Amino acid sequence: MNIFETLYNEFIGFFGIGGIIEMVKKNDYSSLTTWAGIQNLIYPIIPFLLLIEIIRAIVYKRFKIEDYKLSFMVFVLNRFISRFISIAAVGFCIGLFEQWAIFKTDITWYWLLYGYVVWELAHFVYHFLAHKIRILWCLHSTHHAPQQMNLFVNFAHFFLEAPYADVIRTSICIILGVSPPLLFLIMFIDGLWGSFIHVGENIIKNGRLGFLGKILLTPSHHRVHHARNPLYMDTNFCNLLNIWDKVFKTYQDEKNEIKIEYGITRKINQNNILDAYFGEIVCLWRDIVKAPGWKNKLLYIVMPPGWSHTGNHQTAKIARTGYLAEQDKTVKNDDNIAEKP
Ligand SMILES: [Zn+2]
Ligand SMILES: [Zn+2]
C-alpha cells in the first residue's frame, strides 16, 4: 500500500464516510432503510462538526494551533493501539460474563431504557474510579490535560484508558442482563453523545440545552467536569443521563459567576505530549519512591490524587468542601451584616 492510499484510508476512516462513498459508488441507497445504513449517515456528524469548528475558528481568526495540538497528537498515538485492545476487551468480557447474566434482554424501547440506565451506572463507576484511584487517574488525566474545550478533546485519551473503561462497563452491563446487541446499540449512542458534549464554546456558547439539561448531561455539565475550579472538580461523571450524579451527589451545574478554567491542577506544558501522556505517572512514581514503608507506597497507588502520607492531603474533595464551607461563611456573614440596624 503506498503512502497516498494509507493517507486516503485514514482520511475516510477519520471522517467515517466509507459507508456513504460505497453507497454513492454503487448508486444503491436501499441500505438507508436499515440500521447499518442509518449508522453510515450518523457516523460522520462529529468529525464534520469538528471541521466546522476549526474553519469557524480560522474565519474568526481565533484559531490557535495550541488549542488543538495536544489532543491531536494524542489522537494519532492512540489511533491504532487503543482501538484493537478495546475491541478485544469487550469481546472477552462478553464471553466471560454472559453465562452469569441475571436475565436476557432484547432490543425493545423499554429494554433500551433499562439498558441505558444500567450503562450509565457502569459508566459512572468507571469514571468515578478514574478520578478517585491514583493509578487510574494516571490513565484518565490525559483526557483532562487540554486547557480548552473543543471536539478534539474527544481524542485525548491514554491508550489503556478505553480498554479499562470497556472492561468495567461491559462486565457490569452483561451481568445485569444487557444483551450484546443492545449493548452495541447503547455504545454507539454513547459514543456519539460523548463526542458531542465536548463541543466548544465557538459552536455552542451556552451548552445548557434548556429544559433538556434536567435529565440529560449537557455540554455545559461536561465543561464543568473538565474544570479545575474547586467547586467544579470531580463532579458530573455521567455521559448522557445525569441521574447517577444526582443519586450519588456529584451533580454540579455551571454557575454564570464562576468562569470555567479547563485543565488539571498540576501545571503542564501544553506543547509537550509526553507531559500530558506520562506526567501523572511520573508524579506517582516520585511519590512512591519518596514514601516511607510499603504500606504508604501502596496507598499512593490506590488512594485519590492529592493524598499524602504526611497527612497534608490536597484532594479534590478537600478543595471542594473547603470552598463550599468558605462560601457558607461569607453568606452567613453577609446575613449578619444585613440583620444589624
Ligand atoms: Zn473525567
Ligand atoms: Zn471529556
Side-chain angles (χ1 to χ4, degrees), residues 143 198 222 226:
H143 181 59
H198 291 95
H222 200 61
H226 274 264

Side-chain angles (χ1 to χ4, degrees), residues 102-103 105 109-119 176-178:
I102 52 172
F103 46 71
T105 56
W109 68 267
Y110 49 89
W111 281 129
L112 177 62
L113 214 62
Y114 168 79
Y116 222 101
V117 172
V118 170
W119 168 267
L176 293 181
V178 181

Side-chain angles (χ1 to χ4, degrees), residues 8-180:
Y8 174 78
N9 286 339
E10 271 304 299
F11 178 82
I12 302 290
F14 179 76
F15 283 103
I17 50 177
I20 297 176
I21 291 178
E22 272 302 292
M23 260 190 287
V24 175
K25 263 189 195 162
K26 288 184 186 152
N27 203 13
D28 175 9
Y29 300 94
S30 56
S31 68
L32 286 180
T33 54
T34 65
W35 173 235
I38 294 168
Q39 277 185 331
N40 282 340
L41 281 189
I42 300 175
Y43 267 129
I45 293 176
I46 295 295
F48 276 104
L49 267 180
L50 177 66
L51 194 67
I52 293 171
E53 185 176 276
I54 292 177
I55 292 172
R56 273 181 58 116
I58 293 171
V59 169
Y60 291 108
K61 299 202 170 34
R62 279 199 304 240
F63 184 80
K64 286 197 292 249
I65 194 77
E66 300 82 54
D67 291 356
Y68 297 90
K69 204 162 134 188
L70 194 75
S71 310
F72 183 72
M73 288 190 292
V74 175
F75 161 71
V76 172
L77 198 71
N78 281 353
R79 177 92 166 96
F80 303 99
I81 322 164
S82 187
R83 181 184 291 178
F84 293 111
I85 308 179
S86 210
I87 292 171
V90 169
F92 178 77
C93 292
I94 290 175
L96 192 65
F97 293 114
E98 218 183 354
Q99 51 191 319
W100 291 318
I102 52 172
F103 46 71
K104 282 248 169 307
T105 56
D106 43 39
I107 300 188
T108 55
W109 68 267
Y110 49 89
W111 281 129
L112 177 62
L113 214 62
Y114 168 79
Y116 222 101
V117 172
V118 170
W119 168 267
E120 277 295 348
L121 174 66
H123 181 85
F124 184 95
V125 171
Y126 131 70
H127 199 179
F128 184 82
L129 296 180
H131 279 252
K132 298 296 186 188
I133 294 182
R134 180 93 179 259
I135 183 83
L136 299 178
W137 171 247
C138 289
L139 309 184
H140 187 55
S141 62
T142 307
H143 181 59
H144 283 270
Q147 287 174 358
Q148 310 75 30
M149 181 57 88
N150 54 58
L151 290 164
F152 249 122
V153 174
N154 272 316
F155 305 118
H157 282 287
F158 194 89
F159 81 103
L160 283 176
E161 202 201 354
Y164 148 67
D166 282 335
V167 164
I168 302 253
R169 293 185 298 199
T170 307
S171 307
I172 293 178
C173 285
I174 293 292
I175 289 173
L176 293 181
V178 181
S179 64

